[in-house]
Each structure stands twice: as structure tokens, then as C-alpha cells.
Amino acid sequence: MARLSLHKILFIGLFCCSVMATAAENDDAGTSPWRFNTGVSVGKVSPLMISAGMGYKSILFHVEGLGAHNGDNDYWCGMRGGIDWTFFWNRPFSIDAGFNGGYEYAEAPNKMHQAVNRANDAMILLPYDYVETLDISAELRIHLYGFYTQIDYPIHHFMNHDEPKFNWRIGYLVEF
């Protein structure tokens, strides 16, 4: 008997969901197949991002990004973009599954390291912490009346330093 790997199970599950969602879609006369969205989200690594997206029926392309600079070694920036397949795209509840890629960078002062450096009167430790990642991720977004949660699981890191095991975001999107 053949063993089913996780990849095969995910592929079969996504295929079945895609068939059911496509069969269940209701193309009402008078509604446009084009959709646009914009919003804001909070999460990890970049604490705040502005989002925008454009879709045609079940296919959605979205980008998000923002940055802030508060002084030396106290800033963050991030940008991500992806392409998703939306299940139940014309309903109040929808699920987006796809792939995205992005770059995120953050630096923040580390008071403990700064105290060690002052106590030793030397630069022994970096006076700041930083996180940097450039990756391609599998993405899952779940929407309900504009509110959404997003989980990205990195498939491949091109550049990393203290990279997270997964990225998450929560936010609100207005779709028109």
C-alpha cells in the first residue's frame, strides 16, 4: 500500500477545494468579475503594512509594504507580494491560498548589550538586534467581512538572519 506524503495530501486537498469552490461560485448578472482591495495589517516581522490587491474572479494579486525610521539602529521596513487562488471569492467568507515573496528588515536597540558595552568600556556586543529575511512562502489567508488573518510558511530563504519559522498578519481589507 502506498504511503501518502504531506505534499500529496495537501495537493489532493487543494485540488478538491478548488473544484468545489469553482462549482459553487455564483456569477450573478450585473456583478463585475474584477475586484480591488486596500487595507492595513499588523504582524511579524514588519509591525504595520499597507495592502493593495487586484483580482479577476478567483485569481488575486496583492502587494503590501511600509517602513519607519526612528533613528540610528531603530527602524524597520518590509514589502511582500503574492498571487493567490481565492475560494468562495464572492462570499462574505473566503480563503486565499497561494505563494508570496518578500523582504523584511528590522533593527531595534538592545539595552542589555548596550549596558554590557558600557560596563566593559568596549564594543563587545552589537548595541542593537536585527532580523532580516528574503524568502518565498506558501500563504494562507482567511477573510470574514473584511477582517483577515494571514499565515506565511517560508519555503526557501535566499537571505536570512534570525529568520522566523513563519510570518503572520492580521488586518482589515475593503474590497470594491
Side-chain angles (χ1 to χ4, degrees):
M1 188 161 114
R3 287 185 347 166
L4 288 178
S5 68
L6 180 60
H7 296 286
K8 289 178 185 176
I9 292 170
L10 287 175
F11 177 75
I12 292 168
L14 284 175
F15 179 75
C16 290
C17 287
S18 174
V19 169
M20 289 186 306
T22 304
E25 282 182 359
N26 183 5
D27 288 345
D28 295 330
T31 60
S32 174
W34 290 97
R35 58 194 173 115
F36 301 92
N37 61 41
T38 184
V40 64
S41 66
V42 296
K44 175 180 163 184
V45 167
S46 298
L48 181 66
M49 282 192 176
I50 296 174
S51 304
M54 179 179 84
Y56 181 78
K57 291 191 177 186
S58 293
I59 298 173
L60 175 68
F61 173 74
H62 62 90
V63 294
E64 53 192 355
L66 197 60
H69 186 269
N70 299 322
D72 293 340
N73 302 325
D74 191 5
Y75 56 91
W76 55 267
C77 68
M79 58 195 130
R80 298 194 77 77
I83 187 161
D84 296 332
W85 182 266
T86 304
F87 301 98
F88 317 113
W89 68 273
N90 55 355
R91 307 279 195 274
F93 172 78
S94 64
I95 300 171
D96 299 338
F99 297 96
N100 72 17
Y103 174 78
E104 297 186 68
Y105 185 86
E107 276 190 16
N110 185 321
K111 300 298 183 185
M112 186 181 295
H113 287 190
Q114 292 172 358
V116 168
N117 289 341
R118 275 194 308 272
N120 291 303
D121 198 24
M123 179 68 127
I124 296 172
L125 301 170
L126 287 176
Y128 58 89
D129 294 326
Y130 75 98
V131 176
E132 182 174 31
T133 182
L134 173 63
D135 62 65
I136 293 178
S137 302
E139 170 181 65
L140 182 67
R141 293 171 133 193
I142 299 173
H143 302 262
L144 181 61
Y145 292 107
F147 294 98
Y148 75 95
T149 61
Q150 173 181 336
I151 296 176
D152 301 333
Y153 181 75
I155 296 170
H156 181 71
H157 285 283
F158 296 100
M159 173 190 328
N160 56 31
H161 179 273
D162 196 25
E163 76 281 352
K165 300 287 186 227
F166 66 92
N167 296 327
W168 61 269
R169 305 205 69 72
I170 57 173
Y172 185 78
L173 290 172
V174 175
E175 191 161 300
F176 47 94

